[in-house]
Amino acid sequence: MSKDRNVKTKVVLFCGLSNAGKTTILNIFTKGDVFKTAPTLGVSLSTMSVKDMNFRIFDLGGQEKFREEITPLLPFADLIVFVVDSANRKQMSEVSKEFKRILSNSNKKLIPICVLRHKSDLKHAIKENTLIKKLGLKTVLNRNWNMLSTSAVTLNGLKDLYSWILQETIGEEPDFKVDKKIEEEFSFYYPCPMLKDMDNGSTFCMNKDEFIETELQSYGFEDEVSKMVVKVLPDLRKESEANSGKLICPDFCILKNGEKIIRCPVTNYRLQTRGIKVTQKRYEDAHFLSQIYGQKIGSEICRECIYKLIISPDTILSDEDIKSLKKIPI
């Protein structure tokens, strides 16, 4: 924590029943990563800094035997995020009971609360209006409340959650951008998230679960990349394959007008991995989230983290996966 007296501290509590997805969301925000997590036992603490604000984020175990441990923390919270596994309808009665317990123990400070209808990408997820009724949110008059539909798999709603936290604390919208350039026929997006840099200096493309060595060719994204560049790439690809056996990579993606899925400008393949297609929204959300944990897009690009955000918490490309794809003995 900074010793600067001008830096303020806010306490955020993430709570809800076990297996709701609290830790996975926090890992995306505070570690820039998504991976399988074990159940949180008791209370764990993470930190996140934004401008002159330090956030102390408590991840509170959702098992029944740990729930009472969070009660002493409630009066000190500045924000509460209550995470609900919206696909587990059998738990709704228990969810409602825990939600009301948290409200009753935090009334004194009128703490703003945000309910996450998490795992909203699943088919049987409870509807927002139904969840509002189950929790009795419309009767909560003594504090600001909000409900967001979120998913760690599709990334839906996570950007909105981050915005809500900032609005409730520092009163500002997050100021992040995605580098893109729009022309008549294409939109160009930089960088391509499907590249993997190896320790030996080689670069591989991981699009569509293939593992193809590439030769990077920079065109100066802001100044020179254009429709004309896209037209010459097929010929350059043939030359590159003939001369070096590698696939040329200009390190940007394209979105054709009228489409939703981002494509590789060299192969014209849609960007996808392990069954997940990269839409414009998914690309932009992944880059937005990567900037939350400090990577400066354009100069210090954490490709591995962007890639992991674009896939899902259940499908992470580890070093062992990479060696397996390359058929190199571990």
Side-chain angles (χ1 to χ4, degrees):
M1 186 181 298
S2 173
K3 294 181 180 179
D4 188 340
R5 292 182 180 179
N6 294 322
V7 175
K8 301 176 182 178
T9 299
K10 294 290 184 181
V11 174
V12 183
L13 302 185
F14 270 68
C15 49
L17 300 192
S18 181
N19 198 39
K22 303 182 293 295
T23 304
T24 302
I25 294 171
L26 282 176
N27 284 339
I28 292 174
F29 282 165
T30 62
K31 298 179 181 178
D33 208 347
V34 284
F35 45 81
K36 292 182 179 179
T37 59
T40 302
L41 304 179
V43 179
S44 66
L45 174 64
S46 302
T47 59
M48 181 173 71
S49 296
V50 181
K51 295 187 177 180
D52 61 348
M53 185 72 69
N54 278 327
F55 292 94
R56 302 185 69 191
I57 305 175
F58 290 87
D59 182 8
L60 311 175
Q63 298 89 344
E64 187 172 2
K65 62 182 178 181
F66 295 122
R67 289 176 203 165
E68 286 297 332
E69 292 187 22
I70 75 171
T71 304
L73 293 171
L74 291 171
F76 300 99
D78 295 292
L79 295 175
I80 294 175
V81 179
F82 187 80
V83 187
V84 179
D85 178 353
S86 62
N88 192 339
R89 293 172 177 265
K90 293 180 180 179
Q91 282 189 331
M92 286 304 148
S93 177
E94 190 177 0
V95 166
S96 178
K97 180 181 177 181
E98 176 64 8
F99 182 70
K100 290 173 182 176
R101 188 185 75 82
I102 287 171
L103 286 182
S104 65
N105 283 282
S106 61
N107 274 341
K108 292 181 180 179
K109 289 195 68 178
L110 309 182
I111 306 164
I113 190 164
C114 186
V115 177
L116 302 188
R117 189 180 72 97
H118 198 48
K119 305 184 185 179
S120 60
D121 56 301
L122 299 179
K123 291 182 179 179
H124 302 296
I126 192 171
K127 302 292 185 183
E128 272 196 26
N129 288 339
T130 305
L131 185 56
I132 287 173
K133 290 179 182 178
K134 292 277 186 185
L135 299 181
L137 276 169
K138 289 187 177 180
T139 64
V140 178
L141 305 176
N142 60 355
R143 70 184 75 212
N144 291 332
W145 64 266
N146 191 19
M147 176 174 287
L148 298 172
S149 295
T150 57
S151 168
V153 173
T154 66
L155 308 182
N156 183 52
L158 298 187
K159 181 169 65 174
D160 296 328
L161 172 60
Y162 184 79
S163 296
W164 178 81
I165 291 173
L166 263 60
Q167 287 171 351
E168 290 290 340
T169 52
I170 63 178
E172 294 182 16
E173 287 276 0
D175 183 23
F176 295 136
K177 69 172 185 175
V178 172
D179 285 332
K180 63 181 177 180
K181 186 176 181 181
I182 300 175
E183 288 204 357
E184 196 170 314
E185 188 175 344
F186 301 107
S187 296
F188 301 87
Y189 288 82
Y190 170 81
C192 175
M194 293 297 168
L195 297 184
K196 171 66 180 178
D197 295 324
M198 308 300 289
D199 292 338
N200 63 5
S202 59
T203 306
F204 286 83
C205 172
M206 298 182 287
N207 192 27
K208 290 196 170 182
D209 301 330
E210 294 176 293
F211 208 72
I212 303 172
E213 189 166 7
T214 64
E215 182 177 351
L216 287 176
Q217 178 69 54
S218 175
Y219 289 92
F221 180 76
E222 291 295 337
D223 300 323
E224 298 177 30
V225 62
S226 66
K227 181 180 176 181
M228 292 298 296
V229 170
V230 174
K231 285 185 176 180
V232 303
L233 287 177
D235 291 334
L236 292 176
R237 174 188 180 186
K238 291 178 182 178
E239 291 179 15
S240 180
E241 288 179 324
N243 294 333
S244 65
K246 298 178 182 179
L247 184 72
I248 191 171
C249 179
D251 197 18
F252 62 81
C253 314
I254 59 173
L255 183 69
K256 294 184 177 181
N257 287 345
E259 292 191 342
K260 295 181 179 179
I261 308 299
I262 291 178
R263 294 178 180 270
C264 170
V266 177
T267 64
N268 205 37
Y269 291 156
R270 293 181 174 189
L271 295 193
Q272 66 181 68
T273 179
R274 303 189 185 187
I276 296 179
K277 295 178 181 178
V278 182
T279 62
Q280 177 188 8
K281 184 178 186 303
R282 188 172 187 84
Y283 177 92
E284 292 182 354
D285 283 353
H287 279 273
F288 182 98
L289 292 168
S290 72
Q291 291 175 82
I292 288 175
Y293 52 82
Q295 294 296 339
K296 186 177 180 182
I297 299 300
S299 61
E300 296 179 5
I301 301 167
C302 182
R303 296 185 184 275
E304 184 73 4
C305 291
I306 293 173
Y307 182 81
K308 289 177 179 179
L309 285 162
I310 281 176
I311 57 177
S312 77
D314 297 325
T315 53
I316 296 305
L317 192 68
S318 65
D319 289 339
E320 287 72 21
D321 292 327
I322 292 167
K323 290 178 181 179
S324 176
L325 285 169
K326 290 186 69 179
K327 299 182 180 178
I328 298 175
I330 296 175

